[in-house]
Amino acid sequence: MIPLVSVNRLSKSFPGVRALHEVQFELMAGEVHALMGENGAGKSTLMKILAGVYTRDSGDILHDGQPVEFMSPREAQAMGVGIIHQELQLMNHLTVAQNMFIGREPRGRLGLFLDEDKLNAQAREILTSMHLRLDPRAMVGSLTVASQQMVEIAKALSFDSRVLIMDEPTSALNDAEIAELFRIIRQQRDRGVGIIYISHKMDELKQIADRVTVLRDGEYVATVSARDTSVEAIIGMMVGRTLTDVAPTPRTADKDTGEVALEVKHLTAGALVKDVSFTLRKGEILGFAGLMGAGRTEVARAVFGADPVESGEILVHGVKAAIRKPSDAVAHGIGYLSEDRKRFGLATGMDVESNIVMSNLRKFLSLNFFLRRARIRRTASHFIDLLSIRTPSATQQVGLLSGGNQQKVVIAKWLERDCDVLFFDEPTRGIDVGAKSEIYKLLRSLAGQGKAIVMISSELPEILRMSDRIVVMCEGRITGELPAVDATQERIMQLATQRETLKAA
Ligand SMILES: Nc1ncnc2c1ncn2[C@@H]1O[C@H](COP(=O)(O)OP(=O)(O)OP(=O)(O)O)[C@@H](O)[C@H]1O
Ligand SMILES: [Mg+2]
């Protein structure tokens, strides 16, 4: 059988970075082909070349055995290549339907004005076929990250692609949404579509992939069968070394000896923070568990002053704090690492070092120009080493780093700020297996230094292994608190689904 797509000896460099070196890859019709590799391995670059976003330096790309050359995403689309980008590329000020059909909107009868009704009807048809309850007229900027990701997927499907590229499509989806996406992927595969699937979630491999290709440092390592290869073997190929894992938090003594760093009392804000109270001690990691949309991010945002609070009190080191905006929170030593790095975390147009020192500029501004430059440079290279951020230099624009490495820059930025209380919202989203254990080690060492840490995570195993204590939320309320010793996945899930109406009954 002739492959749908085949890639031979493909190379691509950016200034200072050899992103791909003589890579090979092959996609058959009707297969789900997973592409794996650490942050910065070259996965997104390879996909962007296949989708006409970047041009290659050398090598061949064949479709059905014929050489192709795409000079733009539009040309690739015309040849049936659809891509869901890792960093969502939607326009916040346009509706769902407008985003799905941007550039190819149905025109009115005279071809002069847009036919909004027709547009919405077409969008609704696709959304319904995906079992999505999204209003085509809703502004994309008002949607959650998960819904935005679904809109990107709907958009790619609307092109009737023969080749469908999904670059970390599930990073913001919950289990039910992932199951729905997998149903759609299998449906497309059975129609003969070739699907390239990128993810850092190893358990997804076994569920959805037929074959796996591994890249390391921009080079091809191997292509193997997903069914016949163990996850450990694939990780081994990705990292080229054995990983030292972080031991789970010892679950013996209850850590309530540390002094209380943060106390939140009866906090109410918007629809998803209802009468929330909790304490956070120095040196502890408090896990926040719950389903997507339970209100965990909203609690963090309310404490951080990013969203208005209706009632309740926040005490920092026992003293009542008036927090109305993020800068108030920062002045009280509270940091928040957003789950949505693009919207809240990073200035993607600025370079790595500016982003790292940005939230703490005052510390540097007191110095003269030359000292300041040197100090900033030294600080940046310290964090680049500490977190193994893959970048050609400290002056590289952050937007040009791979997704996982951008996430590390957000972490560096808050570490530099030296806060006492840190909210980590989905800190390992989009982070490869190796870097994940680095981040776990880092959280542990921060707690060891006496920082008070809240870790919001949708991955239960992560919550279980990292937390000293676990708070569970459902629909804006705290439904339970568990010491790590008593916590199990079942117990957490029970609390995470304990809805107010059920409790009353
Ligand atoms: N437009 C660009 N300009 C400069 N360097 C780039 C650009 N795009 C990617 N790179 C670099 O190329 C390398 C490969 O990046 P790529 O985004 O392909 O990695 P990835 O495998 O998708 O990683 P992740 O898992 O973090 O998403 C990285 O070192 C990255 O910094
Ligand atoms: Mg990527």
Side-chain angles (χ1 to χ4, degrees), residues 254-424:
D254 222 8
K255 266 204 203 164
D256 49 17
T257 42
E259 146 206 347
V260 172
L262 177 76
E263 188 166 7
V264 172
K265 288 183 178 171
H266 307 293
L267 193 72
T268 297
L272 282 173
V273 183
K274 299 175 192 162
D275 194 23
V276 165
S277 301
F278 65 92
T279 54
L280 175 65
R281 294 173 190 280
K282 277 185 73 170
E284 86 170 334
I285 299 178
L286 178 65
F288 260 63
L291 302 175
M292 213 70 77
R296 296 164 301 163
T297 292
E298 287 72 11
V299 168
R301 288 179 54 85
V303 172
F304 189 61
D307 290 333
V309 167
E310 277 137 51
S311 58
E313 283 186 0
I314 296 164
L315 286 82
V316 182
H317 300 299
V319 182
K320 197 171 171 229
I323 297 173
R324 286 190 197 84
K325 49 186 189 310
S327 57
D328 298 338
V330 171
H332 280 96
I334 302 175
Y336 171 53
L337 286 87
S338 165
E339 60 173 340
D340 185 350
R341 58 177 172 257
K342 205 164 182 184
R343 235 192 291 183
F344 306 112
L346 287 175
T348 46
M350 284 165 68
D351 63 19
V352 172
E353 62 182 21
S354 307
N355 270 280
I356 292 176
V357 301
M358 192 161 52
S359 64
N360 205 7
L361 256 189
R362 207 175 313 147
K363 177 168 132 191
F364 297 94
L365 285 180
S366 58
L367 304 169
N368 76 41
F369 178 80
F370 294 101
L371 268 178
R372 192 189 311 160
R373 281 234 63 84
R375 186 73 63 83
I376 290 177
R377 189 62 40 97
R378 186 139 38 88
T379 305
S381 61
H382 165 71
F383 285 110
I384 290 169
D385 284 351
L386 182 72
L387 300 174
S388 337
I389 299 173
R390 253 185 90 120
T391 176
S393 77
T395 51
Q396 180 78 331
Q397 200 184 316
V398 164
L400 300 181
L401 299 189
S402 80
N405 284 296
Q406 292 187 16
Q407 179 75 349
K408 293 183 182 179
V409 175
V410 181
I411 295 178
K413 170 179 147 180
W414 286 105
L415 292 183
E416 159 55 20
R417 184 61 237 209
D418 203 17
C419 298
D420 298 333
V421 175
L422 284 163
F423 284 82
F424 284 86

Side-chain angles (χ1 to χ4, degrees), residues 43-44 86 167-168 402-403:
K43 305 178 297 293
S44 295
Q86 177 175 11
D167 197 349
E168 301 195 33
S402 80

Side-chain angles (χ1 to χ4, degrees), residues 64-108:
D64 301 316
Q66 301 300 313
V68 290
E69 183 93 39
F70 301 138
M71 300 313 289
S72 71
R74 202 170 279 258
E75 284 183 31
Q77 255 165 25
M79 287 288 286
V81 181
I83 182 164
I84 297 157
H85 285 283
Q86 177 175 11
E87 303 295 331
L88 300 180
Q89 304 211 327
L90 301 170
M91 309 278 179
N92 285 335
H93 56 283
L94 296 182
T95 67
V96 169
Q98 287 164 349
N99 266 288
M100 284 171 63
F101 292 100
I102 202 160
R104 50 187 179 129
E105 300 90 346
R107 298 272 150 181

